[in-house]
mmCIF file with all atom_site columns, all heavy atoms in Angstrom:
data_model
loop_
_atom_site.group_PDB
_atom_site.id
_atom_site.type_symbol
_atom_site.label_atom_id
_atom_site.label_alt_id
_atom_site.label_comp_id
_atom_site.label_asym_id
_atom_site.label_entity_id
_atom_site.label_seq_id
_atom_site.pdbx_PDB_ins_code
_atom_site.Cartn_x
_atom_site.Cartn_y
_atom_site.Cartn_z
_atom_site.occupancy
_atom_site.B_iso_or_equiv
_atom_site.pdbx_formal_charge
_atom_site.auth_seq_id
_atom_site.auth_comp_id
_atom_site.auth_asym_id
_atom_site.auth_atom_id
_atom_site.pdbx_PDB_model_num
ATOM 1  N N   . LEU R 1 164 ? -11.501 -34.843 3.688  1.00 0.00 ? 164 LEU R N   1
ATOM 2  C CA  . LEU R 1 164 ? -12.555 -35.851 3.666  1.00 0.00 ? 164 LEU R CA  1
ATOM 3  C C   . LEU R 1 164 ? -12.575 -36.688 4.943  1.00 0.00 ? 164 LEU R C   1
ATOM 4  O O   . LEU R 1 164 ? -13.627 -37.141 5.380  1.00 0.00 ? 164 LEU R O   1
ATOM 5  C CB  . LEU R 1 164 ? -12.372 -36.771 2.448  1.00 0.00 ? 164 LEU R CB  1
ATOM 6  C CG  . LEU R 1 164 ? -13.479 -37.811 2.213  1.00 0.00 ? 164 LEU R CG  1
ATOM 7  C CD1 . LEU R 1 164 ? -14.815 -37.113 1.976  1.00 0.00 ? 164 LEU R CD1 1
ATOM 8  C CD2 . LEU R 1 164 ? -13.121 -38.718 1.053  1.00 0.00 ? 164 LEU R CD2 1
ATOM 9  N N   . VAL R 1 165 ? -11.429 -36.829 5.592  1.00 0.00 ? 165 VAL R N   1
ATOM 10 C CA  . VAL R 1 165 ? -11.343 -37.671 6.781  1.00 0.00 ? 165 VAL R CA  1
ATOM 11 C C   . VAL R 1 165 ? -12.204 -37.102 7.916  1.00 0.00 ? 165 VAL R C   1
ATOM 12 O O   . VAL R 1 165 ? -12.708 -37.848 8.755  1.00 0.00 ? 165 VAL R O   1
ATOM 13 C CB  . VAL R 1 165 ? -9.874  -37.821 7.225  1.00 0.00 ? 165 VAL R CB  1
ATOM 14 C CG1 . VAL R 1 165 ? -9.284  -36.511 7.700  1.00 0.00 ? 165 VAL R CG1 1
ATOM 15 C CG2 . VAL R 1 165 ? -9.739  -38.888 8.306  1.00 0.00 ? 165 VAL R CG2 1
ATOM 16 N N   . PHE R 1 166 ? -12.409 -35.773 7.955  1.00 0.00 ? 166 PHE R N   1
ATOM 17 C CA  . PHE R 1 166 ? -13.194 -35.178 9.038  1.00 0.00 ? 166 PHE R CA  1
ATOM 18 C C   . PHE R 1 166 ? -14.661 -34.959 8.679  1.00 0.00 ? 166 PHE R C   1
ATOM 19 O O   . PHE R 1 166 ? -15.523 -34.977 9.561  1.00 0.00 ? 166 PHE R O   1
ATOM 20 C CB  . PHE R 1 166 ? -12.580 -33.837 9.463  1.00 0.00 ? 166 PHE R CB  1
ATOM 21 C CG  . PHE R 1 166 ? -11.259 -33.981 10.156 1.00 0.00 ? 166 PHE R CG  1
ATOM 22 C CD1 . PHE R 1 166 ? -10.129 -33.365 9.656  1.00 0.00 ? 166 PHE R CD1 1
ATOM 23 C CD2 . PHE R 1 166 ? -11.139 -34.741 11.305 1.00 0.00 ? 166 PHE R CD2 1
ATOM 24 C CE1 . PHE R 1 166 ? -8.901  -33.505 10.280 1.00 0.00 ? 166 PHE R CE1 1
ATOM 25 C CE2 . PHE R 1 166 ? -9.921  -34.888 11.945 1.00 0.00 ? 166 PHE R CE2 1
ATOM 26 C CZ  . PHE R 1 166 ? -8.796  -34.270 11.430 1.00 0.00 ? 166 PHE R CZ  1
ATOM 27 N N   . GLN R 1 167 ? -14.958 -34.737 7.404  1.00 0.00 ? 167 GLN R N   1
ATOM 28 C CA  . GLN R 1 167 ? -16.321 -34.363 7.017  1.00 0.00 ? 167 GLN R CA  1
ATOM 29 C C   . GLN R 1 167 ? -17.400 -35.327 7.513  1.00 0.00 ? 167 GLN R C   1
ATOM 30 O O   . GLN R 1 167 ? -18.379 -34.900 8.123  1.00 0.00 ? 167 GLN R O   1
ATOM 31 C CB  . GLN R 1 167 ? -16.412 -34.194 5.503  1.00 0.00 ? 167 GLN R CB  1
ATOM 32 C CG  . GLN R 1 167 ? -16.007 -32.805 5.041  1.00 0.00 ? 167 GLN R CG  1
ATOM 33 C CD  . GLN R 1 167 ? -16.579 -32.471 3.679  1.00 0.00 ? 167 GLN R CD  1
ATOM 34 O OE1 . GLN R 1 167 ? -16.759 -33.334 2.836  1.00 0.00 ? 167 GLN R OE1 1
ATOM 35 N NE2 . GLN R 1 167 ? -16.848 -31.206 3.453  1.00 0.00 ? 167 GLN R NE2 1
ATOM 36 N N   . PRO R 1 168 ? -17.261 -36.624 7.311  1.00 0.00 ? 168 PRO R N   1
ATOM 37 C CA  . PRO R 1 168 ? -18.337 -37.520 7.761  1.00 0.00 ? 168 PRO R CA  1
ATOM 38 C C   . PRO R 1 168 ? -18.416 -37.674 9.281  1.00 0.00 ? 168 PRO R C   1
ATOM 39 O O   . PRO R 1 168 ? -19.422 -38.147 9.804  1.00 0.00 ? 168 PRO R O   1
ATOM 40 C CB  . PRO R 1 168 ? -17.983 -38.858 7.098  1.00 0.00 ? 168 PRO R CB  1
ATOM 41 C CG  . PRO R 1 168 ? -16.517 -38.793 6.850  1.00 0.00 ? 168 PRO R CG  1
ATOM 42 C CD  . PRO R 1 168 ? -16.215 -37.364 6.563  1.00 0.00 ? 168 PRO R CD  1
ATOM 43 N N   . LEU R 1 169 ? -17.361 -37.295 10.001 1.00 0.00 ? 169 LEU R N   1
ATOM 44 C CA  . LEU R 1 169 ? -17.337 -37.455 11.455 1.00 0.00 ? 169 LEU R CA  1
ATOM 45 C C   . LEU R 1 169 ? -17.955 -36.268 12.189 1.00 0.00 ? 169 LEU R C   1
ATOM 46 O O   . LEU R 1 169 ? -18.216 -36.347 13.382 1.00 0.00 ? 169 LEU R O   1
ATOM 47 C CB  . LEU R 1 169 ? -15.883 -37.618 11.935 1.00 0.00 ? 169 LEU R CB  1
ATOM 48 C CG  . LEU R 1 169 ? -15.067 -38.764 11.344 1.00 0.00 ? 169 LEU R CG  1
ATOM 49 C CD1 . LEU R 1 169 ? -13.666 -38.756 11.938 1.00 0.00 ? 169 LEU R CD1 1
ATOM 50 C CD2 . LEU R 1 169 ? -15.745 -40.109 11.605 1.00 0.00 ? 169 LEU R CD2 1
ATOM 51 N N   . TRP R 1 170 ? -18.215 -35.165 11.467 1.00 0.00 ? 170 TRP R N   1
ATOM 52 C CA  . TRP R 1 170 ? -18.575 -33.898 12.091 1.00 0.00 ? 170 TRP R CA  1
ATOM 53 C C   . TRP R 1 170 ? -20.068 -33.834 12.414 1.00 0.00 ? 170 TRP R C   1
ATOM 54 O O   . TRP R 1 170 ? -20.808 -33.015 11.891 1.00 0.00 ? 170 TRP R O   1
ATOM 55 C CB  . TRP R 1 170 ? -18.187 -32.748 11.178 1.00 0.00 ? 170 TRP R CB  1
ATOM 56 C CG  . TRP R 1 170 ? -17.553 -31.581 11.889 1.00 0.00 ? 170 TRP R CG  1
ATOM 57 C CD1 . TRP R 1 170 ? -18.154 -30.427 12.244 1.00 0.00 ? 170 TRP R CD1 1
ATOM 58 C CD2 . TRP R 1 170 ? -16.185 -31.475 12.301 1.00 0.00 ? 170 TRP R CD2 1
ATOM 59 N NE1 . TRP R 1 170 ? -17.254 -29.593 12.864 1.00 0.00 ? 170 TRP R NE1 1
ATOM 60 C CE2 . TRP R 1 170 ? -16.036 -30.211 12.914 1.00 0.00 ? 170 TRP R CE2 1
ATOM 61 C CE3 . TRP R 1 170 ? -15.076 -32.307 12.233 1.00 0.00 ? 170 TRP R CE3 1
ATOM 62 C CZ2 . TRP R 1 170 ? -14.828 -29.770 13.439 1.00 0.00 ? 170 TRP R CZ2 1
ATOM 63 C CZ3 . TRP R 1 170 ? -13.882 -31.868 12.748 1.00 0.00 ? 170 TRP R CZ3 1
ATOM 64 C CH2 . TRP R 1 170 ? -13.761 -30.620 13.344 1.00 0.00 ? 170 TRP R CH2 1
ATOM 65 N N   . SER R 1 171 ? -20.531 -34.698 13.314 1.00 0.00 ? 171 SER R N   1
ATOM 66 C CA  . SER R 1 171 ? -21.955 -34.705 13.663 1.00 0.00 ? 171 SER R CA  1
ATOM 67 C C   . SER R 1 171 ? -22.163 -35.482 14.957 1.00 0.00 ? 171 SER R C   1
ATOM 68 O O   . SER R 1 171 ? -21.227 -36.084 15.504 1.00 0.00 ? 171 SER R O   1
ATOM 69 C CB  . SER R 1 171 ? -22.783 -35.345 12.549 1.00 0.00 ? 171 SER R CB  1
ATOM 70 O OG  . SER R 1 171 ? -22.613 -36.754 12.560 1.00 0.00 ? 171 SER R OG  1
#
Side-chain angles (χ1 to χ4, degrees):
L164 185 61
V165 66
F166 291 122
Q167 275 202 328
L169 303 180
W170 222 260
S171 75

